[in-house]
Amino acid sequence: MSSLSRELVFLILQFLEEEKFKETVHKLEKESGFFFNMRYFEDCVANGEWDEVEKYLAGFTKVDDNRYSMKIFFEIRKQKYLEALDKHDHARAVEILAKDLKVFSTFNEELFKEITMLLTLGNFRENEQLSKYGDTKSARAIMFVELKKLIEANPLFRDKLQFPTLKNSRLRTLINQSLNWQHQLCKNPRPNPDIKTLFVDHTCGPPNGTRAPSPVTNPLMGSIPKVGGFPPLGAHGPFQPAPAPAPAPLTASLAGWMANPSSMPHQTVSAGPIGLSPSSNAASMVKRPRTPPTNNLAMDYQTADSESVLKRGRAFGISEEVNNLPVNILPVTYPGQSHAYPLYSSEDLPKNVMGNLNQGSAVKSMDFHPVQQTLLLVGTNIGDITIWDVWSKERLVSRNFKVWDLSTCSMPLQASLANEYTAAVNRVIWSPDGALLGVAYSKHIVHVYSYHGSDDLRNHLEIDAHIGNVSDVAFSHPNKQLCIITCGEDKTIKVWDAIAGTKMFAFEGHEAPVYSVCPHQKETIQFIFSTAIDGKIKAWLYDNMGSRVDYEAPGRSCTTMAYSADGTRLFSCGTNKEGESHIVEWNESEGAVKRTYHGLGKRSVGVVQFDTTRNRFLAAGDEFQIKFWDMDNVTLLKAINAEGGLPSSPCLRFNKEGILLAVSTSDNGIKILANADGARLLRSIENRALDASRVASAAAAKGPIISAFGASSSIAGTAVGVVDRSSAMTAIVGLNGDSHSMSEVKPRVADDSEKSKLWKLTEINESSQLRSLRLPDSLLPIKVVRMIYTNSGSALLALTDNAVHKLWKWQKNERHPSGKATSNLAPQLWQPSSGILMTNDMRETNQEDAVPCFALSKNDSYVMSASGGKISLFNMMTFKTMTTFMPPPPAATFLAFHPQDNNIIAIGMDDSSIQIYNVRVDEVKSKLRGHQKRVTGLAFSNVLNVLVSSGADAQLCVWSMDVWEKQASKSLPIPSGRVLNPLGHTRVHFHQDQIHLLAIHGTQLAIYEAPKLECLKQWISRESNGSITDAVYSCDSLSIYASFEDGTVGILSATTLQLRCRISPGAYLPPNPSSRVYPVVVAAHPTDPNQFALGLSDGGVHVLEPPESEGKWGISPPVENGAGPSISSAGGSEQQQPR
């Protein structure tokens, strides 16, 4: 139905209501499905008109449409059943059980059994979960509140809950205007014509008197109504006018693509499993009624002036539409910016050629490693696969096409190989953790390898997947099980167990060979898009129910699909038989093209390949160029030829961070392009390669030796190699659980002159030896206790000891196009125009005992924070307090967001517990106990699916994120003679591989391997330097920045825990400070591995970088040069311990 026809239905609904055709109004609402009248629905629920309730709902949804719909129908039928039991009408109850509730038994058989058991009770309130069930009227009212939330959250009701804003009697007005126009066109218009019918056009008879006056002054059907409010619809009140237009949510559900499950997020609703207990808010509604939100919280974050959240009760949620937004979509808005969205510059694009790789055959597919960002997997037209290290230009691994076990192959494959024993690679791809890689060949076969670092590539699975060409391969995690998805010439899509290689699903329905697959997940709904060479797009769930979608790609092109990095936006790019190419963004809620990007050639050769990066840019290889688009602008942003030599439709691929880009060349090579961040990454790796080679070569020659740091270091410590390994921390975990370190990767061999140079610890004592910037501050200088860079890298957020937050922002302009934090340019201490400060609750708090803490959301839109009082949620754009919760005791001491769901937060407490709290439903899901003293650190690992905690008891604990049970624990060994501070902080920080863990304690730094907490390295500080106040990994996890009570800063190599650079206080602090000043916290820049910031005890914040001429912080010492001062033991004797 067209949009005008839809609008006509609304006009008819208005007319029927005005004419009091109430039953007809609701029938049309139901039959058209355009408007769900919540007030009518509420009346039906309140009156217990259950048949009408279900009939009315049936016009908009069915029981099995999605989980929201299922829960809606379940709650209604459960209430109907309980009312029959309450009336002791067992016959009616049995009928409801058999006819209405039986359908839910297939989803939860235990629940159905428990419901059935209610028949055996004299009063169903004897059941503990129903003990608070009141009278029928209040139970219906409580249930309706829950139903309303579920309906508002259900994507099938989107745009159907608000009646459009119309003037009174709009249909009459339009008819009036039409008749006036018809009368104006009459050849002989009469004054005061008599209109007797609307069935035919109006005409006036022969002239008989004076000409009629203007129709404007003589309306034919009575006066045109004045603009006014819509008349009340009987007892139900007015249709609600739509609110002012607001930005469309960036995350759309699959409602328009799929008729079955959907994943539409909602601010307060958890459409979780159906249950026997009353609505989740029932008990609390009785005790303290809450007003359910009427708007999406996502809008509160996007419209800075919204006050609605401030007026809510505690039940609130953080919409997934906000959680999943990329960092740059909802930036903090500052003066001088014309709008909230940043202007992306072409300077951010990786367009500078950094090097060339000679592959030797035509490149068909590429993929960067998800963890080790400089490893590139390549597949070619002759069946070769290669793993390149792009910084060293070294070919680490190469494999030719070869069938591993011909005897197990199908007869068609054996016949094909007998005719020609060659095959091209169609697709190569890494698994999400980089432990596996998949290869799809042009003949039947998919190979899966396990990768263990360096040149260690092992055969894992050989799958005879399809008859003929295997077009694509992908990895997915349905039900937390790693799977491989393939598609091919035989028109099928298949899902395989990634461990055993067994087939789990086979999807049939395409009428042409399947070209590509795109698995994805929205909330708990996991699905697969597939495209065929005839331009058809289908979507599948992991079941045997057939496809949920049947759409056509633009131009019926052969298409690939890809999501943005945050999973909120869907794009496709393809080329049809006529050579016309299309690159588009899809509106998932409608299954329609949202925007079409301009600039692709009209006669493309082959299928144009494309890629997305970091929620910001699209890139496609076309017309011997690389073409870039800003995702939010259909106009071509930039086209480059990468210094020439590209084929007509080059293959290209971004690395995970979008700072490197690989593109194929016409001479069977690959060019590596980088932006400024990518160039810095390659330089930093190259600088560290020499360090790694020296350490590795010395270790190989001498084995474990005893040494200490050089004599010039006043913060010399002991690096204890707890296990005999020289493992770098970037480990790849294979299927057998083995850990293989990056130290196995072949380093670039230094020449003899480099090897002969004597190592010396880099000492920085003067301000001229580094770049340092003290950030401007007009507020009261108070000790900085917590600090973090924003995820975008363009701002610093600090929390001071008086519970005030300070935010510094670097402006993006022509002088500073990147907008990233730098010591070369002073930022602005930003405050909103209202002048308010983000200040934590401190009432009834002893600040001496308080442990300030905060956690920043992934999109930099809001911060959760506490300073001994309640936890506060602040809007980073407006500084407004969105809500507060969890008043002490106990008080929060550490906060961490769940990596997969921003509505789940882990809260460390001063009573030694950890609470897993669901913000959306205002409920503590689990309470973890394992520490003896307050919890001072939390860190999640997505790779291992664990939470690691640390406490003032110097203990580490590992908790499973599936069932929230403790898996392991270990106490840090306190050096002899040191006293454990009962209020001391132990912090934890995961390496970027999310397997190795840095533990920070006042006496030591230690590297552990999770989840077993095996200690790999330990570095003990000297007492003369005072305690370690804080430490953190650099963004590339190759360095560790540590601060000390005497004001010094040490920079250690993360691979060996050896000190390579020492910064004295005089290098960054003004001379002769009036009091002792020292760094309390350290923060590492999220993209620049050589930049860090210090939060000081005097309230100052300093950003430090090495000199531009150096570009790095010192050089790691070779092990053999480690002779130096010894470590004093508790007894005063000197001893040297192994590192």
Side-chain angles (χ1 to χ4, degrees), residues 772-777 782-784 786-787 789 796-800 806 808 810 827 1068 1081 1083 1092-1104:
S772 174
L773 173 68
R774 185 178 177 107
L775 305 189
D777 190 352
I782 301 293
K783 175 182 176 182
V784 177
R786 295 289 287 154
M787 187 171 65
Y789 281 90
L796 257 174
L797 178 66
L799 173 61
T800 60
K806 298 179 181 179
W808 288 271
W810 278 261
Y1068 65 91
V1081 288
F1092 64 95
L1094 302 174
L1096 306 181
S1097 57
D1098 69 349
V1101 173
H1102 286 250
V1103 173
L1104 274 61

Side-chain angles (χ1 to χ4, degrees), residues 412-712:
L413 175 56
Q414 292 187 35
S416 176
L417 293 173
N419 183 45
E420 184 181 15
Y421 196 87
T422 59
V425 172
N426 285 325
R427 180 69 184 271
V428 292
I429 190 169
W430 292 101
S431 64
D433 61 358
L436 299 175
L437 64 91
V439 187
Y441 291 100
S442 60
K443 287 186 179 178
H444 300 248
I445 287 286
V446 169
H447 279 165
V448 182
Y449 295 88
S450 62
Y451 183 59
H452 304 266
S454 187
D455 59 353
D456 190 356
L457 185 68
R458 307 175 190 175
N459 297 356
H460 175 57
L461 289 176
E462 182 173 66
I463 303 174
D464 192 346
H466 297 271
I467 299 174
N469 187 53
V470 183
S471 307
D472 200 4
V473 61
F475 288 93
S476 69
H477 276 95
N479 302 317
K480 298 184 180 180
Q481 178 181 3
L482 184 62
C483 294
I484 301 162
I485 303 169
T486 63
C487 65
E489 190 177 352
D490 57 5
K491 307 176 186 178
T492 65
I493 302 100
K494 297 179 182 179
V495 181
W496 313 82
D497 184 309
I499 305 302
T502 55
K503 184 169 66 177
M504 301 170 62
F505 299 100
F507 304 133
E508 298 180 359
H510 278 289
E511 297 176 356
V514 184
Y515 181 70
S516 71
V517 288
C518 176
H520 194 58
Q521 177 174 347
K522 290 285 185 74
E523 284 192 350
T524 58
I525 306 302
Q526 296 163 318
F527 53 91
I528 306 165
F529 280 119
S530 62
T531 69
I533 63 173
D534 61 358
K536 289 294 175 66
I537 299 173
K538 294 181 182 290
W540 317 80
L541 297 180
Y542 292 87
D543 56 26
N544 296 307
M545 304 297 290
S547 70
R548 268 50 171 199
V549 160
D550 190 2
Y551 283 94
E552 285 191 357
R556 303 191 69 175
S557 54
C558 191
T559 296
T560 55
M561 307 184 83
Y563 276 89
S564 56
D566 62 359
T568 62
R569 303 172 69 175
L570 177 63
F571 303 89
S572 71
C573 179
T575 306
N576 62 18
K577 296 177 181 178
E578 289 73 35
E580 296 174 342
S581 296
H582 305 266
I583 183 169
V584 302
E585 180 178 4
W586 289 88
N587 183 332
E588 290 181 86
S589 64
E590 298 178 4
V593 172
K594 181 177 181 179
R595 55 168 59 92
T596 300
Y597 298 91
H598 308 310
L600 287 177
K602 300 298 183 184
R603 302 295 297 178
S604 302
V605 178
V607 178
V608 170
Q609 295 197 32
F610 88 121
D611 200 6
T612 69
T613 178
R614 299 194 68 182
N615 316 312
R616 295 178 56 177
F617 299 115
L618 301 171
D622 184 45
E623 296 183 312
F624 307 95
Q625 295 177 311
I626 305 168
K627 297 180 178 180
F628 297 96
W629 292 264
D630 180 333
M631 287 182 177
D632 297 317
N633 192 332
V634 298
T635 306
L636 185 66
L637 176 64
K638 186 85 173 177
I640 61 172
N641 65 3
E643 300 178 1
L646 303 185
S648 58
S649 297
C651 173
L652 51 79
R653 191 72 171 175
F654 287 104
N655 75 338
K656 183 178 180 180
E657 294 299 320
I659 58 179
L660 299 177
L661 176 65
V663 59
S664 63
T665 62
S666 55
D667 60 354
N668 297 336
I670 302 162
K671 290 190 177 186
I672 304 300
L673 289 75
N675 61 10
D677 290 335
R680 277 195 294 270
L681 172 67
L682 294 177
R683 282 198 300 270
S684 67
I685 295 175
E686 186 171 2
N687 291 336
R688 286 166 173 79
L690 176 59
D691 304 342
S693 66
R694 288 171 173 167
V695 173
S697 61
K702 299 187 176 184
I705 67 170
I706 298 174
S707 62
F709 286 125
S712 60

Side-chain angles (χ1 to χ4, degrees), residues 753-824:
S753 63
E754 288 179 318
K755 290 181 179 180
S756 64
K757 293 178 182 177
L758 294 177
W759 174 84
K760 184 179 180 181
L761 175 73
T762 301
E763 294 265 16
I764 297 179
N765 300 310
E766 304 291 337
S767 60
S768 60
Q769 294 176 276
L770 51 64
R771 289 180 288 160
S772 174
L773 173 68
R774 185 178 177 107
L775 305 189
D777 190 352
S778 57
L779 300 177
L780 190 66
I782 301 293
K783 175 182 176 182
V784 177
V785 289
R786 295 289 287 154
M787 187 171 65
I788 191 173
Y789 281 90
T790 58
N791 295 288
S792 64
S794 62
L796 257 174
L797 178 66
L799 173 61
T800 60
D801 208 24
N802 64 345
V804 173
H805 299 76
K806 298 179 181 179
L807 181 67
W808 288 271
K809 168 70 178 180
W810 278 261
Q811 296 291 333
K812 185 173 184 177
N813 49 41
E814 292 183 3
R815 181 185 170 195
H816 187 50
S818 73
K820 299 292 181 66
T822 176
S823 60
N824 298 328

